[in-house]
Every structure is written in structure tokens, then in C-alpha cells.
Amino acid sequence: RAAEWQLDQPAWSGRLRITAKGSTAFIKLEDKTSGELFAQAPVEQFPGIAVESVTDSSRYFVIRIEDGNGRRAFIGVGFVDRGDAFDFNVALQDHFKWVRQQSELARQAQDLEQGPKLDLGFKEGQTIKLNIANMKKKEGATGNTRPRPAGPGGLSLLPPPPGGKSGSGERPASLPTPAQLPGTPITDSLLSWPQPTAAPAADVWGDFAKASG
């Protein structure tokens, strides 16, 4: 309890400063004029035995000081202003929060190193198969535009234009149906270009009628 101390006659008055080296924080009591070190308390854990709050005030604490030769002592320290006492607490909390974060990052990095590593390389003789759906569709569309084989009469016949409408929106004029010549079968009703009109069938058979026998 701070009430049991001689608060009106402190044994020493000066400046308190907190520094850190690695994961350890150091509470240093220094002369407020010369900066000469009066005592220091290494803190390896907070809250812990190195720094404890009193039960009857938020401005007073008990800290464990060390002289570096193994000798330790517990002394009481207090702040005139309550805001300074709050900053003292926050500084220690922030330091050990940072220590916990560093420990967690180091543990995660160690787990990644010890964990199984994925081998994403190809094994010897291993192959992969790519299924590209659009490739077959394009090949099929190209095959439909190939010209048909030539008919018996030596003409290369093409299919009628698809859709019945041109790209400009106009309907192409229908081509006249050519007359079928003897011995020249026509497999399509439309040709891709106009054909010469064959001679009337009567004239063709007339030549045969004049022949003897």
C-alpha cells in the first residue's frame, strides 16, 4: 500500500525512462539534471514480479532493481501526475505486445520450414492434357466451308449461301435453274455462278431423228 510509505519525504526524486534491448525492457531512474543513472530494473515479463501496482493508487508501483552483480531490491516509485503513470503502463504494454508478435512470426516461419514442401515439378515421362472446347467448334465451322468435290461434268459445285441474307441485309437474287443436259446429272438445285443455257431438248433429239436407223 502506498499509504504506508513516507510520501512526503521521498528518498530520491528524479527522472524515469524506459528503454529496450531485444525482448527485455529496462526501467531507468536517472538524475533529472545530469542524467546519471541511479538504478535500473530489467523487465522480462509484464505483468510480472519486476513491476507491480499498489492496491490503493494508480500512480504508485513497486519495481525490482538490480545492480548487475546479482543483488536485487524492491523499491516503491510514484508519479506526481496521473497521466505520467498511464504512459508508464502503456509503454510497457506496447513493448511486450511487440515481443509476442515477433515470437508468433518466428514460430510460423519455423513451422513453414519444417512442414512438407510441395513438389510442383513434372515427373519423368509425365504429360498433361489440355481440353480446349472452342478448338473443335472452330474446326467444325471451317470444315463446313470447304467446296464439295467436282461432279461428273467437271463442275465444282458450292452449297447455297447460309442464312439466305447477306451481310448488308439484302437478299441475293435467285439464280435460274439450269436445264439438265443429257448425261450430265446436277446434284444441287442452285449453282454458285450462272451457267450457259443449254440448247432446247427438241433440237438435241432432232439431230438423232434425222440419222438413219
Side-chain angles (χ1 to χ4, degrees), residues 42 44 49 63-75:
E44 298 179 353
I49 193 173
I63 64 175
R64 184 181 63 184
I65 60 175
E66 298 181 7
D67 64 354
N69 296 323
R71 293 185 300 177
R72 300 176 177 177
F74 290 91
I75 64 173

Side-chain angles (χ1 to χ4, degrees), residues 42-73:
V43 183
E44 298 179 353
Q45 185 179 356
F46 182 79
I49 193 173
V51 180
E52 293 183 285
S53 301
V54 298
T55 59
D56 57 344
S57 176
S58 62
R59 296 186 292 115
Y60 293 89
F61 304 87
V62 176
I63 64 175
R64 184 181 63 184
I65 60 175
E66 298 181 7
D67 64 354
N69 296 323
R71 293 185 300 177
R72 300 176 177 177

Side-chain angles (χ1 to χ4, degrees), residues 3-132:
E4 299 174 357
W5 303 344
Q6 298 178 358
L7 299 179
D8 54 342
Q9 297 179 354
W12 179 86
S13 295
R15 178 180 64 190
L16 185 147
R17 191 161 59 97
I18 297 178
T19 63
K21 183 178 181 181
S23 61
T24 303
F26 293 89
I27 302 174
K28 296 186 176 184
L29 304 178
E30 301 172 345
D31 186 273
K32 58 184 177 182
T33 303
S34 62
E36 181 183 358
L37 180 65
F38 173 73
Q40 72 174 3
V43 183
E44 298 179 353
Q45 185 179 356
F46 182 79
I49 193 173
V51 180
E52 293 183 285
S53 301
V54 298
T55 59
D56 57 344
S57 176
S58 62
R59 296 186 292 115
Y60 293 89
F61 304 87
V62 176
I63 64 175
R64 184 181 63 184
I65 60 175
E66 298 181 7
D67 64 354
N69 296 323
R71 293 185 300 177
R72 300 176 177 177
F74 290 91
I75 64 173
V77 296
F79 298 91
V80 176
D81 186 81
R82 195 176 303 275
D84 293 336
F86 177 80
D87 292 342
F88 172 76
N89 260 318
V90 170
L92 291 174
Q93 291 174 1
D94 287 348
H95 170 73
F96 287 99
K97 180 180 180 180
W98 173 83
V99 170
R100 288 190 296 270
Q101 290 175 347
Q102 295 300 313
S103 299
E104 182 66 19
L105 292 175
R107 186 186 63 81
Q108 292 178 359
Q110 185 177 5
D111 292 343
L112 291 176
E113 291 178 357
Q114 295 178 354
K117 296 182 179 180
L118 296 178
D119 185 9
L120 302 179
F122 284 101
K123 304 297 186 297
E124 184 177 358
Q126 183 180 3
T127 60
I128 61 174
K129 182 179 180 182
L130 299 179
N131 185 11
I132 304 178

Side-chain angles (χ1 to χ4, degrees), residues 122-172:
F122 284 101
K123 304 297 186 297
E124 184 177 358
Q126 183 180 3
T127 60
I128 61 174
K129 182 179 180 182
L130 299 179
N131 185 11
I132 304 178
N134 294 333
M135 183 177 293
K136 293 183 178 180
K137 184 177 180 182
K138 291 181 179 179
E139 289 178 354
T142 305
N144 293 335
T145 59
R146 292 177 182 174
R148 296 183 182 180
L155 298 178
S156 178
L157 306 179
L158 297 176
K165 292 186 178 181
S166 63
S168 61
E170 298 178 356
R171 185 179 181 86

